Amino acid sequence: MIDFEFRKQVMDYHMGSDIIKYCYQCSRCTDYCPVSKVTKDFYGTTGYDPRKNILNALLGYKEAIFNSDSLTIWGCTVCDTCDELCPQNIELTEIFTFLKNESIIKGEGPDFLYSQAKAIFDTAKAIPSQSAIERRRQQLDLPAVLSPNVDEIKTLLKNIGLDKKLKED
Ligand code: SF4
Ligand code: SF4
């Protein structure tokens, strides 16, 4: 079923420039996508498929995207290969970023992302300090890692509304 509001949101991203770009489903994005290649090796034909994502997004088939497995939205690693190779200059990763943001707004992102966001919110570090890391740095004669200002980072993150998107443990 077409979701016209969703389609309009996708098109707003898609038409960031003045030029209207049409995807003619050549599949070049999927053919060269490294994630597609790896996941197809694992899962066969159900691997990650940017061409199909673009088709569903541009047609407004919201359910086909959001009712699918998390690989559909989160498989893209933003390596930008497809953006570089698309003969129609479609900025696929812009549209995929929109899909990821929608997934987070719906509270349906993968758990590891919420945990990592919480770690950054709580400690101002993506990877909290560990004594093993500190020891290794000393062995390598590297300087100690400076402690970030957690309160300052928290304030910045609150200003962009991150605290409202975190999940309780
Ligand atoms: S997004 Fe570009 S590369 Fe991918 S199928 Fe459409 S036209 Fe081809
Ligand atoms: S940017 Fe994403 S969809 Fe495009 S080739 Fe890289 S992993 Fe695949």
Side-chain angles (χ1 to χ4, degrees):
M1 193 170 66
I2 296 173
D3 183 317
F4 290 97
E5 177 58 29
F6 172 70
R7 191 169 79 172
K8 181 180 175 316
Q9 289 173 318
V10 171
M11 291 309 274
D12 285 346
Y13 266 74
H14 179 51
M15 312 247 240
S17 66
D18 294 336
I19 306 162
I20 300 176
K21 304 164 196 166
Y22 295 100
C23 166
Y24 49 63
Q25 291 287 291
C26 67
S27 201
R28 200 163 184 208
C29 46
T30 298
D31 290 346
Y32 288 90
C33 171
V35 178
S36 180
K37 176 168 176 19
V38 170
T39 51
K40 268 181 191 143
D41 287 348
F42 268 108
Y43 305 115
T45 51
T46 57
Y48 177 66
D49 190 345
R51 177 202 59 78
K52 195 162 138 194
N53 274 359
I54 284 294
L55 177 68
N56 285 330
L58 294 179
L59 291 178
Y61 291 152
K62 187 175 184 179
E63 286 175 8
I65 295 171
F66 288 95
N67 290 355
S68 186
D69 59 22
S70 66
L71 185 70
T72 303
I73 295 171
W74 294 95
C76 173
T77 60
V78 201
C79 72
D80 278 336
T81 302
C82 53
D83 285 356
E84 298 278 332
L85 295 176
C86 172
Q88 295 294 85
N89 291 326
I90 291 171
E91 286 111 359
L92 292 91
T93 50
E94 288 291 318
I95 294 172
F96 297 159
T97 299
F98 165 71
L99 298 180
K100 286 173 181 170
N101 286 341
E102 285 297 293
S103 172
I104 292 294
I105 290 167
K106 285 153 71 75
E108 295 174 355
D111 289 342
F112 76 86
L113 262 182
Y114 293 102
S115 339
Q116 184 142 51
K118 182 147 180 25
I120 294 170
F121 188 74
D122 288 341
T123 67
K125 287 182 173 181
I127 301 172
S129 294
Q130 293 167 24
S131 50
I133 296 176
E134 301 300 331
R135 269 200 311 277
R136 189 74 183 126
R137 289 184 68 86
Q138 279 177 2
Q139 285 166 3
L140 294 170
D141 214 17
L142 292 170
V145 177
L146 296 176
S147 298
N149 184 331
V150 177
D151 288 337
E152 192 177 6
I153 299 292
K154 259 189 189 169
T155 302
L156 288 171
L157 294 174
K158 277 184 183 169
N159 283 345
I160 59 169
L162 179 86
D163 54 322
K164 297 187 186 68
K165 296 192 172 74
L166 294 175
K167 286 185 174 173
E168 296 301 322
D169 290 329

